[in-house]
Amino acid sequence: MPQIMKKVYLLFILISFSSFAQKTFDNIKSEKLGVERRITIGLPPSYEENKDKKYPVLYLLDGDYLFDPFSGAVSYGAYWDDLPEMIIIGVHQNKDGERFDDSTIDQNTGLPFEKGADFFEFIGAELIPYIEKKYRTTPFRIIAGHDITASFINFYLYKEEPLFNAYICLSPELAPKMEVRIPEKFAKFTKPLFYYLSAADGDIKKIKEPIEKLASNIKIANNPLINYKYEVFKGTTHYTEVLHSIPSALYQIFEVYRPINSAEYNDKIAILQTGYSDYLEKKYAIMSEVMGVQIPVRVSDFKVVENIILKRNAYDELGKMAEIANTSYPKAMLGEYELGLMYEKMGDPKHASKKYQNASQMEPIGDLNKDMMYEKIDEMNTLAKKTK
């Protein structure tokens, strides 16, 4: 497929899937700015169906043109369960030079100034509280911007407690001293944070050089708590690189959310000598504790880890797998099945039979069903007789 057709196809996908979100508009009366500000709100398809579910929030500066491509990428990823559903808030900045006023800085201090300082306070003191009061949100906040607004979002990193958990900076036109200040802050962080930085090979020198310095300095800071990615897209301009960056950024931030794939299996699980069940438990704990995304352990992930436990003869770990199963699926037969499997592999068919019997009285799940449990019971009883 020619390069131009790939770009058109990608744009079509992103825009098409944006229709999955419930898109509405709202006006916020801002005391900080002295005017009303318009925002676009995208609610996930399940928002009205699941009244107890809470969602991460993605805040977009330059929401006038970033909302649809971000919404499309989120909807597409959520459709395949690679990304969690989230609430998307787009801040309008296309009226009478608003984006430039909002991004006003003092060139000497390199900090928000006058209207820029007011806009900084509007986001933190008015917009976020408004959204979190009105909608069901988790504490996990993401913010994104492009060009000068991509630079502006970095000011929230300067706070003692950063306002956002993840930052998506698309070809930022960095403020003075930012390429030094951000890495200095990163070196001191004691909590996990996600940071995505991108540029186009077609960016002008004035933009590209500070970005490259920032990228280099972040590497030197080398804080393992900073989940960091930097990309330069070949054959792109300052504007076309955005469509390449958006899915890459989202998949970086929510990498742990994705079902276990071959890359994760080979790079992170297969290399372990032990602790396979601990890996599975930690994967979902990070989703819950860091991202506020609470979902039961996917049966597909469970089976992947179960298979490597059996392959490596680490049968004692099946007991931990049973605990994980009972937490996610307390009414299902998965937990008792795992205990039965553990006793079976350890050469104790009598106890295995009892666990399979317990499982047969519980709800089927995945490829586990009553007929399978009855077969296992008969098999274990036959083995028990032979060992007498």
Side-chain angles (χ1 to χ4, degrees):
M1 183 183 292
Q3 190 68 22
I4 185 65
M5 289 302 294
K6 287 182 180 179
K7 292 177 181 177
V8 172
Y9 183 63
L10 176 60
L11 177 62
F12 173 75
I13 288 176
L14 293 179
I15 301 302
S16 295
F17 273 89
S18 69
S19 62
F20 280 81
Q22 303 170 40
K23 183 176 176 181
T24 59
F25 300 92
D26 199 354
N27 293 309
I28 299 179
K29 188 173 182 179
S30 171
E31 292 183 5
K32 301 290 182 182
L33 299 173
V35 295
E36 282 193 346
R37 291 305 290 264
R38 191 161 177 79
I39 61 172
T40 302
I41 302 137
L43 297 179
S46 68
Y47 190 85
E48 295 301 330
E49 300 167 8
N50 191 340
K51 299 294 185 180
D52 297 322
K53 187 175 180 180
K54 296 182 178 181
Y55 302 84
V57 184
L58 169 60
Y59 292 89
L60 302 174
L61 304 191
D62 280 321
D64 312 277
Y65 65 88
L66 288 183
F67 185 93
D68 281 343
F70 265 100
S71 178
V74 169
S75 296
Y76 184 84
Y79 180 85
W80 297 108
D81 199 26
D82 282 338
L83 297 174
E85 289 185 310
M86 62 191 82
I87 296 169
I88 305 176
I89 306 299
V91 180
H92 290 230
Q93 295 181 279
N94 67 342
K95 181 181 176 183
D96 300 327
E98 277 177 335
R99 75 189 300 265
F100 298 102
D101 289 342
D102 292 343
S103 305
T104 303
I105 61 172
D106 184 316
Q107 291 297 325
N108 294 319
T109 65
L111 298 174
F113 181 64
E114 295 181 340
K115 290 184 178 181
D118 293 338
F119 184 72
F120 182 88
E121 292 298 323
F122 162 70
I123 296 292
E126 295 180 325
L127 177 61
I128 290 176
Y130 178 84
I131 296 301
E132 294 186 351
K133 182 179 180 180
K134 189 170 182 178
Y135 301 102
R136 300 190 307 273
T137 67
T138 74
F140 193 76
R141 306 181 192 123
I142 312 154
I143 189 166
H146 176 229
D147 193 279
I148 56 174
T149 64
S151 173
F152 191 86
I153 68 176
N154 288 312
F155 290 127
Y156 294 103
L157 291 167
Y158 292 3
K159 295 174 70 70
E160 189 171 335
E161 285 289 331
L163 198 57
F164 299 91
N165 309 90
Y167 297 74
I168 300 174
C169 300
L170 310 174
S171 284
E173 188 172 342
L174 295 174
K177 306 177 185 178
M178 195 166 268
E179 65 270 25
V180 175
R181 284 174 169 166
I182 292 173
E184 286 177 347
K185 292 290 293 185
F186 282 178
K188 299 175 183 178
F189 277 10
T190 58
K191 295 180 181 178
L193 184 133
F194 300 83
Y195 192 81
Y196 177 87
L197 177 66
S198 69
D201 66 353
D203 272 323
I204 61 174
K205 186 177 180 180
K206 177 185 173 183
I207 292 176
K208 190 184 294 186
E209 284 190 351
I211 292 174
E212 290 172 349
K213 288 180 183 177
L214 172 60
S216 177
N217 289 339
I218 291 175
K219 274 192 174 182
I220 294 171
N222 193 30
N223 185 340
L225 290 173
I226 307 298
N227 187 316
Y228 163 67
K229 186 176 184 179
Y230 171 50
E231 292 185 293
V232 179
F233 292 95
K234 294 183 178 180
T236 63
T237 68
H238 185 66
Y239 299 99
T240 60
E241 76 95 1
V242 168
L243 284 179
H244 296 265
S245 296
I246 289 172
S248 184
L250 292 170
Y251 274 71
Q252 173 220 346
I253 294 166
F254 291 103
E255 179 185 10
V256 72
Y257 177 86
R258 300 173 67 184
I260 295 172
N261 54 26
S262 58
E264 183 177 1
Y265 179 84
N266 292 327
D267 297 342
K268 298 183 178 181
I269 301 175
I271 62 172
L272 298 174
Q273 300 301 313
T274 186
Y276 309 107
S277 56
D278 288 338
Y279 178 90
L280 182 65
E281 184 177 53
K282 185 178 179 182
K283 177 182 174 74
Y284 282 81
I286 291 173
M287 285 189 216
S288 174
E289 295 166 11
V290 177
M291 300 179 176
V293 176
Q294 297 183 345
I295 61 172
V297 175
R298 298 179 183 90
V299 175
S300 61
D301 286 350
F302 200 93
K303 297 303 290 185
V304 168
V305 175
E306 178 195 282
N307 286 338
I308 195 169
I309 286 174
L310 298 177
K311 183 179 180 181
R312 300 282 174 84
N313 301 325
Y315 304 132
D316 59 316
E317 291 202 30
L318 293 172
K320 180 66 172 288
M321 293 290 281
E323 294 176 13
I324 296 171
N326 287 332
T327 299
S328 288
Y329 306 101
K331 296 181 180 180
M333 56 178 62
L334 185 56
E336 289 296 299
Y337 169 79
E338 291 299 316
L339 291 175
L341 191 60
M342 180 183 71
Y343 285 121
E344 176 186 343
K345 295 298 181 180
M346 288 182 165
D348 187 348
K350 183 177 179 181
H351 279 94
S353 178
K354 289 181 180 179
K355 295 301 177 183
Y356 289 139
Q357 177 65 43
N358 292 344
S360 71
Q361 305 306 306
M362 302 178 77
E363 294 178 0
I365 183 171
D367 59 356
L368 305 180
N369 54 55
K370 292 183 182 295
D371 289 341
M372 179 182 176
M373 294 307 114
Y374 294 145
E375 290 176 5
K376 297 296 289 184
I377 293 167
D378 290 342
E379 184 182 340
M380 291 305 101
N381 289 341
T382 300
L383 281 174
K385 290 176 182 178
K386 289 181 179 180
T387 57
K388 283 185 178 180

